[in-house]
Amino acid sequence: MPPPVAPSSHTLVPGKSAVPLLKPQLLLLSHDRGPHHLHLPAGVFCMLLRTLTAALLLLPNAALAQSDSAPPAARWPLRNSPANALQPSAPVVLRGKATVTDHADFPGSGSWIEVPASHTPDLGTADFTITAKVCCPPNDGPSGDIISQYDPATRRGFHLTLKTAAGVTSSQASLRQLHFGIDDNRLSPWLDHGRPGNALLGFAMAAHNNTLFVGTCEPDAGQAGHVYRLDAGGQWIDCGAPDQSNSVTAMAELADQLYVGTGKYRVAGSSLPESPNTSPGGRVFRRIADGRWEDCGQLPGVEAIGGLAVFQGHLHASSLYKPAGFFRLEKNGTWTTLPVPQATAPAPGTSPDRRVEAMTVWEGALYAGSYDGGSVYRWDGNSWTDLGTLGDNTQTYSFAQYDGQLYVGTWPSGRVYRFAGPNQWVDCGRLGEELEVMGMLVHNGRLLAGTLPLAEMYQYEGTVSWQKLTQLDRTPDVKYRRAWTLAELHGRLYCSTLPSGHIWSVQAGASVQHHAAFPDGWHDIAAVRTGRQLLLYIDGKQVATASIPADSPIDLHSTAPLRIGAGMNGSLNGRLRDLRIYQRALTVTELQPVQ
């Protein structure tokens, strides 16, 4: 027979419910004599109370107010053990430098927790929810998959990601944006979104504040480069011309603000008649509103901005044309001129300075391509390291981070190379018969790349194999057509073209993205598949939604291992706690954080 419950003492407070008074006594329950009270000195009682409180605080606490009536199918508390709390004896492997203390820590590429598919929930075509607590350090990181289960051979699986796409030619197309994608080898037809303004090409693209922004080259007399945004109705809205030069050449987001660089693009470099607009660019602007731009300064000796990227919390910019230039925007709004890479053996009578163009951040350093000699350089914040020349190429044009590795596009071989260490570059194959690999980006698990001279789009098949998807620009009687740069918005991949100036898009599987930089510190996140919708939540607030195509269900049954902290978008470089998978769609109420 259970022991009786002792009556409690309460004091009624006006306007309040009954509140128990704590007295310096300890209630003891005995099976044979029932409840009785042990009177203690106040100091001893307070010490016991503090001890009890501390013990309660050590208990694992749920990240979200989820219902106990429908427990998760899998839960990794990630406190002192990588094990699934619901299957503590199930196999799990710590890869690379991943560690688990009071949280899981993933310090970079090659670090993750791996769980065999046989010990993970079979998600199939049904509803499900993923929840976790994620910690972002300040400045640039992290970027990579929080959790993924994806087979690149069958193109089936899911990803929950914090994604940065930098070095997509001259722009940083996204910065630490929350992304949730599913796929079952589905690829939509390509959609033509028309030509923004009088664009010869969309030189720069970025997703910012849930909007796609495009910077154009408009080279004719009386024209200038503009910024346009794509509205919800599919129309291009003119955001104005920041200056009088013929191009907006680069974009990047910093501290929730959109920055653009301008330039006088030498159109003859694409074997087209030179632009009559001789106004120089080389300035950086910050967007205030449509048609309003704040001038952030002229970079000394720069005719056109070659690239923009965020590194160590600062915006960095480079010069497209000679002389080489590399600059950092300081917190007080001034620009600092930084060193540029040096050639080890420059030709007699030539400058040893090497231009840096496309820039990306990987493994805690800034990596830059160059139009001077076909090398890649690494900047640690103080000095440059030459990482070697890629084959017989003279230009390194673009970057992508795919499955935890760094890939680089080149001219004139039309090949992609993978970085395997200083002066170690692995040839990953040529894209058809093309000469230049332009924008590259990982879209819902697939590495896609655009090319010159036929403006074709390719999909990486592994090792040295690439599959041609389409040709986007068929302008007749020109030498070069370019599939120039790439960006993602609301689950679609966008690509700009030259010389038609049209913007195209395609969709792999289904995905939803929150196009704003994920905040620093610890936050609750949730990704939900419910019916034909995908939903994203941050701290209990729904931040994004997308529809799943209605042609047929996307089946996520997979034999691929589940990876925590890594996937096709790269390694997380961040921290995780209390990761859960539910085989149902949690409600908004259940997803509210515990206060």
Side-chain angles (χ1 to χ4, degrees):
M1 177 177 181
V5 178
S8 58
S9 299
H10 295 81
T11 297
L12 292 178
V13 180
K16 303 285 186 179
S17 59
V19 179
L21 283 178
L22 291 175
K23 296 182 179 181
Q25 52 183 296
L26 187 64
L27 177 63
L28 301 179
L29 295 177
S30 170
H31 285 287
D32 56 345
R33 287 182 293 176
H36 59 280
H37 294 79
L38 176 64
H39 291 270
L40 299 173
V44 175
F45 178 81
C46 291
M47 181 183 69
L48 288 172
L49 184 61
R50 285 196 298 269
T51 302
L52 177 61
T53 302
L56 290 172
L57 290 175
L58 290 175
L59 293 175
N61 61 307
L64 303 168
Q66 295 150 352
S67 171
D68 292 335
S69 62
R75 181 187 179 191
W76 294 271
L78 301 178
R79 287 180 180 268
N80 303 312
S81 169
N84 180 352
L86 305 182
Q87 299 180 44
S89 62
V92 60
V93 180
L94 284 170
R95 300 289 189 187
K97 298 179 181 179
T99 59
V100 181
T101 53
D102 68 334
H103 59 264
D105 191 18
F106 305 96
S109 67
S111 300
W112 70 88
I113 298 170
E114 186 171 305
V115 183
S118 57
H119 290 82
T120 63
D122 188 355
L123 300 178
T125 60
D127 294 352
F128 70 95
T129 302
I130 300 171
T131 67
K133 291 183 76 72
V134 181
C135 181
C136 286
N139 299 330
D140 318 314
S143 177
D145 283 330
I146 297 164
I147 181 173
S148 69
Q149 188 173 24
Y150 182 82
D151 183 351
T154 61
R155 307 201 186 281
R156 173 183 284 184
F158 72 87
H159 331 260
L160 180 56
T161 306
L162 285 172
K163 189 169 187 178
T164 297
V168 187
T169 58
S170 59
S171 292
Q172 183 166 289
S174 62
L175 176 64
R176 210 166 74 180
Q177 296 180 356
L178 188 62
H179 170 110
F180 174 44
I182 63 175
D183 196 7
D184 186 9
N185 200 20
R186 311 294 175 83
L187 195 66
S188 74
W190 288 83
L191 179 63
D192 185 354
H193 296 273
R195 180 188 185 199
N198 298 304
L200 175 73
L201 76 146
F203 212 123
M205 286 202 298
H208 168 69
N209 280 349
N210 290 305
T211 303
L212 181 70
F213 289 86
V214 177
T216 61
C217 172
E218 303 186 35
D220 290 347
Q223 296 180 350
H226 283 238
V227 175
Y228 297 85
R229 60 178 176 86
L230 188 63
D231 73 5
Q235 300 299 310
W236 292 105
I237 306 302
D238 190 353
C239 301
D243 66 12
Q244 296 304 307
S245 64
N246 68 18
S247 298
V248 174
T249 58
M251 290 184 171
E253 177 183 315
L254 174 65
D256 298 323
Q257 304 292 316
L258 180 67
Y259 290 80
V260 303
T262 64
K264 177 189 178 298
Y265 177 54
R266 301 174 188 175
V267 182
S270 291
S271 292
L272 296 169
E274 192 54 88
S275 172
N277 182 350
T278 59
S279 298
R283 308 188 78 90
V284 174
F285 293 83
R286 182 173 67 88
R287 180 177 181 265
I288 305 299
D290 287 352
R292 294 179 57 201
W293 296 90
E294 178 187 2
D295 190 346
C296 298
Q298 172 76 50
L299 303 188
V302 176
E303 177 183 347
I305 302 296
L308 290 176
V310 176
F311 176 58
Q312 295 180 342
H314 291 269
L315 186 68
H316 288 67
S318 65
S319 175
L320 180 61
Y321 301 116
K322 295 179 180 180
F326 181 54
F327 310 89
R328 180 179 64 223
L329 181 61
E330 306 296 351
K331 301 298 184 182
N332 63 6
T334 62
W335 289 93
T336 296
T337 300
L338 300 172
V340 295
Q342 299 294 295
T344 54
T350 64
S351 170
D353 293 349
R354 291 294 179 254
R355 289 173 289 171
V356 295
E357 304 295 347
M359 296 180 287
T360 193
V361 177
W362 188 66
E363 294 289 280
L366 184 144
Y367 289 69
S370 179
Y371 293 170
D372 300 321
S375 290
V376 169
Y377 301 94
R378 181 171 60 205
W379 170 256
D380 62 7
N382 296 296
S383 61
W384 289 98
T385 299
D386 187 344
L387 300 177
T389 303
L390 284 64
D392 296 326
N393 293 284
T394 59
Q395 295 182 4
T396 42
Y397 217 90
S398 56
F399 292 97
Q401 298 177 34
Y402 178 65
D403 197 16
Q405 303 293 320
L406 185 66
Y407 289 75
V408 184
T410 63
W411 157 277
S413 73
R415 293 179 176 273
V416 171
Y417 291 79
R418 176 171 54 82
F419 181 57
N423 298 301
Q424 299 179 56
W425 293 95
V426 178
D427 186 348
C428 296
R430 184 178 181 184
L431 282 62
E433 299 297 320
E434 295 294 86
L435 301 177
E436 183 171 79
V437 180
M438 304 205 63
M440 295 196 298
L441 196 146
V442 178
H443 173 57
N444 213 7
R446 308 167 189 236
L447 176 57
L448 303 181
T451 65
L452 170 151
L454 295 180
E456 294 175 338
M457 287 296 299
Y458 285 80
Q459 175 177 276
Y460 186 45
E461 300 293 324
T463 60
V464 296
S465 178
W466 293 82
Q467 177 189 352
K468 178 184 170 181
L469 299 178
T470 191
Q471 181 180 359
L472 291 179
D473 197 316
R474 297 179 180 273
T475 303
D477 304 322
V478 294
K479 182 177 181 179
Y480 292 142
R481 305 167 191 86
R482 298 178 184 259
W484 191 287
T485 195
L486 309 173
E488 288 180 299
L489 181 80
H490 301 325
R492 299 189 69 86
L493 176 86
Y494 288 78
C495 180
S496 65
T497 58
L498 172 145
S500 71
H502 283 230
I503 309 294
W504 294 77
S505 77
V506 71
Q507 178 174 328
S511 56
V512 59
Q513 296 156 297
H514 179 48
H515 296 288
F518 194 81
D520 297 344
W522 285 98
H523 295 275
D524 294 301
I525 63 168
V528 182
R529 176 183 184 173
T530 175
R532 293 201 174 277
Q533 281 192 309
L534 299 178
L535 310 173
L536 280 176
Y537 294 81
I538 299 176
D539 293 330
K541 178 183 178 182
Q542 183 179 313
V543 294
T545 181
S547 297
I548 300 173
D551 51 355
S552 61
I554 293 179
D555 188 351
L556 299 183
H557 173 75
S558 179
T559 58
L562 182 141
R563 290 193 282 176
I564 300 171
M568 306 314 294
N569 295 288
S571 298
L572 178 62
N573 191 24
R575 299 174 178 178
L576 292 179
R577 282 181 183 158
D578 200 16
L579 176 64
R580 306 181 184 193
I581 299 177
Y582 291 79
Q583 289 189 285
R584 67 182 184 91
L586 296 188
T587 66
V588 175
T589 301
E590 292 172 308
L591 290 171
Q592 296 309 301
V594 173
Q595 299 301 317

